Amino acid sequence: MLSLPRSLARARPLVPSRHIHSQHRTTSFGFKTIPEESKESLVKHVFDSVASSYDLMNDASSLGVHRLWKDAFVSTLKPGRKGPLRCIDVAGGTGDIALRILDHARESYADRETTVDVLDINAHMLKEGFTRFKKTMYHNTPQVSFHEANAQDMPHSLFKDDSYDLYTIAFGIRNCTSIPAVLKEAHRVLKPGATFACLEFSKVNNPLFSTLYDQYSFSIIPLMGTILAGDRESYQYLVESIRKFPSQPVFAQMIREAGFATGGDRDGGAWTDLWGGIACIHTAVKL
Amino acid sequence: MSVLASFARRSTPYVKPIARSFFSPTVGSQHPAYQGHIPLNRFENAFLAAGSALISLANPRRGDMVAALGETTAGPSLDILRDRMLESPEGRRILKQRPRVTSQSVDMHKLAQYPQGTFGRSYVTWLERCGVTPDTREPVHYIDDPELAYVMQRYRECHDFYHCICSLPVNVESELALKFFEFANLGLPVAAISGVFGHLRLDAKKRARLFSEYLPWAVKCGGSARSLITVYWEERWGQDVEEMKRELGIWDPPEARWSKPLSEAAKAAAARK
């Protein structure tokens, strides 16, 4: 990551000194630098904690706008337009994207054969998604299934090579320990010619808008977490992790390095900025 | 959550300023002054005050929100309480030693050993009668000065002692009566806010009794009693309760509604011996 040299200078060992020699790989957890092995369990704690109020907090902190972003994301992809798709929605937890995919296929193209496999590393989040789906017509149908798995290391028995038409990951990739590993797995499970799509928070390039956005993120969002969910630290982590995520061109390059073909390095090419770059849709095709 | 919290304490050598604001200049230092300190600027403080007020009213079980409301609305009242403490020898001892009410300092078995009629024994009886235990209170986060943060923490932890010395149980109307008492005695805005809005949760009959019987008691007794923040409760376990009430200037409120009768609770307290 870009800021790794600076964060390494600030890093401090977390375990007794006799273990230092084995800890040379670090990653970021918000603004903190931590050993790579720790990130997964720390992120797990965050999502265990936020799962029950996740949807409420999304609505409160984005003032409902996350729904528009997710709608735009799925509309861009047009699932079902060229026939039924086998989709995999990774870090799909509470099922927002999976539901939109199935609804879009059904409403726009009368497609009831498209399937979505929802994958998440966190069982609490999956449970919320499963419960949400129980209120829909897709419950107990082959159209949706839920799996607890790690996006960086999906079991080959369940998630075979070259088997999916669409891979989506929305607001999940920045929480993963190693983005290249996630991209590699995405490349593995997608069929040649299939689409990779990622919706994620990104860099706001306009300096004035960026200042306002920072103020809002660092002042209001942790307070909302305190007030609505009784949990400031998880939301402090969430807003910090947004700042640590690579910028649009850097992420696009990482996607290409995983073996995907993208559009040009500009807004409208490899990525599409939403709301000035607060969120961003990256799309790519497996070669 | 404690994993994250302990992690936050251990892993950051450089303590990054937490709060910045467009809306007001930095108020004092923006770096944490004590463990658990979350500095807020004026805008954030107001936002949290409003949000915690709404949530406290909607869901009084959110103890963290009631605590946040107290801290964000404290204003100069904590300075005044600290001055009260500095004026009395007992208060000065509290500020120096900074006792905390924990499961060690409130050992129920040890307190049950005290003779009938002492403060220690009557506290255990009160806990039994209300069916509560001395639970750990939410730590202070939003007060900038560490000593004032301790004063706030002390107030929060002594709340149950006020219940005991005023012979009030933990149901809603008694809590409100005690809030009025606390406002008259200590002057904390949150006590007034809780009283002024909390009664909306009561039915008409209880509200009428609250205002006609408890409020006059609270104002008269709270206003004339010694400032309870200066009382070193932990030094007084063996003191006779009636003598203590005379010393502090407290008399009993109108009879309240308890969840257990006194005889049963006294038996249970004795059983702890």
Side-chain angles (χ1 to χ4, degrees):
Chain A
M1 264 179 235
L2 291 174
S3 57
L4 196 53
R6 213 166 50 155
S7 13
L8 275 178
R10 286 198 259 135
R12 188 168 81 167
L14 298 166
V15 297
S17 54
R18 57 192 144 85
H19 292 153
I20 288 179
H21 64 278
S22 65
Q23 285 185 345
H24 53 280
R25 282 167 43 144
T26 59
T27 183
S28 68
F29 182 72
F31 287 155
K32 301 178 184 64
T33 303
I34 55 167
E36 230 177 53
E37 311 85 73
S38 316
K39 182 159 183 177
E40 213 175 277
S41 63
L42 288 172
V43 173
K44 177 181 187 310
H45 279 288
V46 167
F47 282 94
D48 280 348
S49 175
V50 305
S52 55
S53 57
Y54 187 70
D55 292 326
L56 169 68
M57 271 303 297
N58 282 344
D59 274 332
S61 54
S62 70
L63 304 172
V65 179
H66 74 105
R67 295 167 186 244
L68 299 177
W69 293 331
K70 288 167 181 165
D71 289 344
F73 182 56
V74 174
S75 313
T76 310
L77 297 171
K78 296 187 178 46
R81 183 164 66 109
K82 294 190 187 148
L85 295 180
R86 264 202 88 203
C87 308
I88 180 168
D89 181 36
V90 174
T94 57
D96 271 348
I97 299 297
L99 186 54
R100 281 173 170 82
I101 290 175
L102 293 173
D103 279 345
H104 187 102
R106 175 177 57 83
E107 286 169 1
S108 304
Y109 309 109
D111 169 5
R112 296 308 301 275
E113 283 74 44
T114 289
T115 61
V116 183
D117 293 341
V118 178
L119 193 142
D120 201 290
I121 199 173
N122 188 292
H124 288 93
M125 294 288 282
L126 272 178
K127 189 161 160 289
E128 295 291 323
F130 186 77
T131 308
R132 142 108 55 93
F133 262 85
K134 267 180 148 183
K135 299 180 190 170
T136 69
M137 68 184 80
Y138 308 109
H139 175 64
N140 264 348
T141 70
Q143 285 194 273
V144 69
S145 59
F146 295 87
H147 308 271
E148 191 180 333
N150 186 336
Q152 296 178 193
D153 192 11
M154 302 191 276
H156 286 234
S157 48
L158 277 173
F159 304 101
K160 300 184 173 47
D161 294 10
D162 302 332
S163 51
Y164 287 98
D165 299 299
L166 175 63
Y167 178 109
T168 52
I169 181 166
F171 300 122
I173 201 165
R174 76 178 189 284
N175 298 306
C176 297
T177 307
S178 161
I179 295 174
V182 175
L183 295 173
K184 195 156 152 280
E185 275 292 86
H187 192 265
R188 176 180 75 77
V189 300
L190 281 172
K191 294 177 188 163
T195 306
F196 166 86
C198 170
L199 173 63
E200 190 51 83
F201 291 111
S202 198
K203 296 271 174 295
V204 174
N205 292 309
N206 178 302
L208 179 63
F209 192 42
S210 162
T211 310
L212 292 173
Y213 175 50
D214 281 354
Q215 291 298 343
Y216 178 74
S217 288
F218 284 95
S219 279
I220 309 274
I221 291 182
L223 282 181
M224 273 197 199
T226 313
I227 293 169
L228 293 173
D231 183 356
R232 183 190 176 90
E233 302 223 0
S234 294
Y235 291 92
Q236 187 73 31
Y237 158 72
L238 290 174
V239 299
E240 288 178 0
S241 66
I242 293 172
R243 298 303 174 299
K244 296 298 277 190
F245 191 70
S247 64
Q248 288 89 326
V250 174
F251 186 48
Q253 179 59 21
M254 290 168 91
I255 293 173
R256 279 191 290 271
E257 279 166 9
F260 290 97
T262 69
D265 262 356
R266 64 182 194 287
D267 188 12
W271 66 84
T272 313
D273 277 341
L274 301 172
W275 286 55
I278 296 182
C280 185
I281 302 173
H282 283 258
T283 48
V285 173
K286 172 171 170 171
L287 294 168
Chain B
M1 259 316 295
S2 61
V3 172
L4 268 183
S6 63
F7 196 76
R9 282 199 292 279
R10 283 185 354 249
S11 69
T12 334
Y14 164 63
V15 182
K16 189 177 170 67
I18 293 168
R20 306 185 292 279
S21 171
F22 206 87
F23 299 99
S24 50
T26 49
V27 180
S29 161
Q30 288 298 344
H31 293 263
Y34 53 88
Q35 198 166 79
H37 181 211
I38 298 171
L40 298 179
N41 59 50
R42 276 194 280 270
F43 173 74
E44 292 168 343
N45 199 67
F47 185 87
L48 184 57
S52 59
L54 289 170
I55 299 288
S56 303
L57 186 60
N59 182 6
R61 305 203 78 98
R62 286 285 303 273
D64 60 323
M65 282 292 100
V66 179
L69 180 62
E71 292 166 34
T72 50
T73 57
S77 61
L78 290 175
D79 285 272
I80 296 170
L81 284 180
R82 180 190 32 202
D83 288 346
R84 283 293 150 278
M85 291 171 87
L86 288 172
E87 282 162 16
S88 92
E90 207 176 336
R92 286 196 291 274
R93 268 201 306 283
I94 300 173
L95 279 178
K96 189 165 171 202
Q97 292 166 12
R98 296 207 182 173
R100 294 292 302 271
V101 178
T102 63
S103 47
Q104 280 80 47
S105 62
V106 186
D107 180 358
M108 303 260 274
H109 295 282
K110 195 160 141 285
L111 291 180
Q113 312 289 340
Y114 282 94
Q116 191 70 266
T118 53
F119 175 61
R121 184 69 174 271
S122 99
Y123 179 59
V124 179
T125 310
W126 177 82
L127 288 170
E128 285 288 344
R129 216 175 161 191
C130 297
V132 295
T133 50
D135 41 36
T136 314
R137 298 281 169 171
E138 177 77 19
V140 172
H141 297 298
Y142 308 110
I143 306 288
D144 292 332
D145 180 331
E147 191 172 52
L148 296 182
Y150 173 73
V151 174
M152 188 53 148
Q153 190 76 49
R154 179 76 183 160
Y155 156 70
R156 207 173 281 162
E157 290 173 355
C158 292
H159 180 74
D160 280 354
F161 298 143
Y162 305 160
H163 266 285
C164 176
I165 201 76
C166 296
S167 309
L168 283 170
V170 290
N171 49 51
V172 184
E173 60 267 30
S174 305
E175 287 283 2
L176 290 174
L178 191 61
K179 284 291 163 202
F180 287 130
F181 175 90
E182 279 178 357
F183 183 60
N185 188 264
L186 302 168
L188 283 163
V190 64
I193 295 170
S194 309
V196 167
F197 291 101
H199 69 82
L200 297 168
R201 299 187 72 91
L202 290 176
D203 63 45
K205 200 160 109 234
K206 290 200 181 114
R207 190 183 301 132
R209 190 163 183 237
L210 175 68
F211 283 113
S212 64
E213 294 183 26
Y214 286 103
L215 183 56
W217 164 81
V219 173
K220 282 189 216 145
C221 184
S224 63
R226 179 170 136 186
S227 182
L228 291 185
I229 196 77
T230 63
V231 177
Y232 202 148
W233 305 95
E234 294 91 328
E235 284 177 352
R236 293 165 174 261
W237 294 130
Q239 188 179 5
D240 178 65
V241 174
E242 295 305 318
E243 185 209 313
M244 203 159 135
K245 280 154 82 162
R246 272 194 302 276
E247 183 193 336
L248 299 174
I250 295 175
W251 61 91
D252 280 347
E255 190 53 43
R257 186 174 53 90
W258 295 83
S259 41
K260 260 193 228 171
L262 181 59
S263 49
E264 220 182 278
K267 259 191 260 165
R272 283 182 172 275
K273 273 181 143 178

